[in-house]
Amino acid sequence: MTSPVVLDSGVEPETGPAKGEKKLEGRSPGQLMWQRFKRDRNGVICAWVVIAYFVIALAAPLLTRLSGTDPYTLYGQDPTYADKPVLDDFGLPLGYFGGLSGSHWFGVEPQYGRDVFAMLVYGMRTSLFMALGVTVLVMGTGVVIGLIGGYFGGRTDYWIGRVTDFFLSFPQQLFFIAFMPVVTAFFVDPREETPTYFRALAMLIVLWVLGWMGMSRLVRSTVLSLREREFVEAAKVSGASPWRIVRKEILPNVVTPILVQFTYQLPSTILTIAFLSFAGVGFVEPTPDWGRLFAAGSSYAQQDPAFIFFPGVALVIFVLAFNLLGDSVRDAFDPKSGR
């Protein structure tokens, strides 16, 4: 009895991965972005710098406890510290470079003797978290309005565009200065001191109302190009609701410009808050704030230029790091980037 003849088809049978070999898996766009970002040394360094600033802001009470100071005590006028003078007879800091010492790490403020290190870390705390709240509200409002106008188009887009143009017509910096006192005076008796929390709330509302337009325009222009794409048309044909199309098809494709814009919006908001305090319509004495430090430093510039050195360097490093981080995030999302 002869055995049956088996014809060789020339096709190798499918086999699993050999022992010791890793199975190849596809990567999502987010994973590819993360891989590109990790290869960007400048971006990683800037990210750690930004994280360090937020950690310092959160740990401000702990840091001032370690230094043995606080941002409110007048070390140059409080009789309790008369045995450790920090100011001379002219109200200028004793010692080198604004009164640097083991007790006052960044020196003291002229005339009052407040600790600069304590004012700086608490000022960072005020400015960073105030700016973070404003930026989240601005970005969220701009994204929602831009999605609605860009997707539905027609009369909806027309009227949203006119409202956007109306808010864009306000000169923001001048309007901030003029409108902030009006907001506070409307709710607080002019004869009474305005609470700090109310100043913060008024600034948040004004910056929010006048800050969402740029994000809205950016998202709208992106959605206008996306809504004509084949995958959106296919979702419409399949009977998907507008909410599902926006949430599942369009929104994931506008994440990139949203994240990049966020990295530019936050430092810009910090500078705006600092400007309001510098102009005298933001945070005032004795609330520690970056802008108030610069306002005080401008009056001490001739007598004690060292007072503004550490706040100035800290602000420049933060804004520079965040802007460079934004560039790195943009390059990481760009698949054509050579990084």
Side-chain angles (χ1 to χ4, degrees):
M1 187 177 198
T2 59
S3 59
V5 178
V6 179
L7 297 178
D8 185 4
S9 62
V11 179
E12 295 290 338
E14 294 184 3
T15 59
K19 187 176 181 179
E21 292 184 0
K22 292 183 178 180
K23 185 178 179 180
L24 296 177
E25 296 181 358
R27 295 177 180 176
S28 66
Q31 291 174 327
L32 292 173
M33 174 267 176
W34 178 242
Q35 290 295 329
R36 284 192 293 265
F37 179 78
K38 287 195 298 185
R39 291 196 297 267
D40 186 354
R41 183 176 300 177
N42 291 334
V44 173
I45 293 174
C46 291
W48 280 112
V49 170
V50 170
I51 292 172
Y53 268 80
F54 279 97
V55 171
I56 291 173
L58 281 172
L62 177 61
L63 293 173
T64 53
R65 188 178 301 174
L66 290 174
S67 67
T69 58
D70 67 77
Y72 306 105
T73 301
L74 307 180
Y75 294 97
Q77 299 180 358
D78 193 334
T80 308
Y81 301 93
D83 58 333
K84 298 180 180 179
V86 295
L87 301 176
D88 61 17
D89 294 337
F90 299 98
L92 298 178
L94 294 170
Y96 176 74
F97 203 72
L100 292 179
S101 66
S103 301
H104 303 283
W105 297 349
F106 289 176
V108 295
E109 181 184 13
Q111 307 302 325
Y112 303 104
R114 281 178 290 207
D115 185 78
V116 176
F117 174 78
M119 288 195 296
L120 176 58
V121 293
Y122 269 90
M124 289 168 53
R125 184 187 181 95
T126 302
S127 298
L128 287 180
F129 291 107
M130 179 73 186
L132 184 62
V134 172
T135 303
V136 169
L137 285 174
V138 166
M139 299 291 291
T141 304
V143 169
V144 171
I145 294 178
L147 284 172
I148 294 173
Y151 179 76
F152 291 100
R155 286 184 172 274
T156 302
D157 185 35
Y158 173 82
W159 288 111
I160 288 178
R162 302 294 74 76
V163 172
T164 304
D165 292 337
F166 172 76
F167 281 102
L168 284 172
S169 65
F170 289 101
Q172 290 192 1
Q173 302 292 347
L174 295 178
F175 191 81
F176 289 154
I177 297 175
F179 194 65
M180 278 295 299
V182 175
V183 173
T184 54
F186 187 77
F187 293 97
V188 180
D189 191 330
R191 293 168 294 183
E192 299 179 359
E193 184 178 356
T194 304
T196 301
Y197 77 88
F198 189 84
R199 285 186 174 273
L201 182 61
M203 291 172 63
L204 186 146
I205 293 174
V206 172
L207 293 173
W208 174 31
V209 170
L210 296 181
W212 57 267
M213 294 80 71
M215 190 68 232
S216 174
R217 286 284 178 89
L218 176 63
V219 173
R220 173 187 174 274
S221 62
T222 306
V223 174
L224 284 175
S225 63
L226 288 173
R227 71 177 187 177
E228 306 299 333
R229 300 286 292 273
E230 293 81 0
F231 61 90
V232 175
E233 293 295 333
K236 291 180 180 178
V237 172
S238 66
S241 64
W243 163 243
R244 180 177 176 81
I245 294 174
V246 170
R247 182 167 54 92
K248 292 290 187 179
E249 307 295 341
I250 293 180
L251 187 57
N253 289 281
V254 296
V255 169
T256 299
I258 291 173
L259 288 179
V260 173
Q261 187 65 19
F262 180 86
T263 59
Y264 293 126
Q265 181 70 39
L266 183 62
S268 175
T269 304
I270 288 176
L271 293 176
T272 301
I273 293 173
F275 166 76
L276 291 177
S277 297
F278 183 86
V281 294
F283 293 107
V284 295
E285 295 277 6
T287 305
D289 176 68
W290 249 335
R292 198 180 63 75
L293 285 173
F294 283 103
S298 64
S299 61
Y300 303 142
Q302 294 183 346
Q303 299 174 326
D304 182 26
F307 172 79
I308 203 61
F309 175 78
F310 290 106
V313 170
L315 183 60
V316 169
I317 291 176
F318 179 81
V319 173
L320 178 62
F322 225 116
N323 285 331
L324 293 177
L325 177 62
D327 293 339
S328 298
V329 171
R330 180 196 60 203
D331 293 337
F333 272 111
D334 183 8
K336 298 180 181 179
S337 175
R339 296 193 179 190

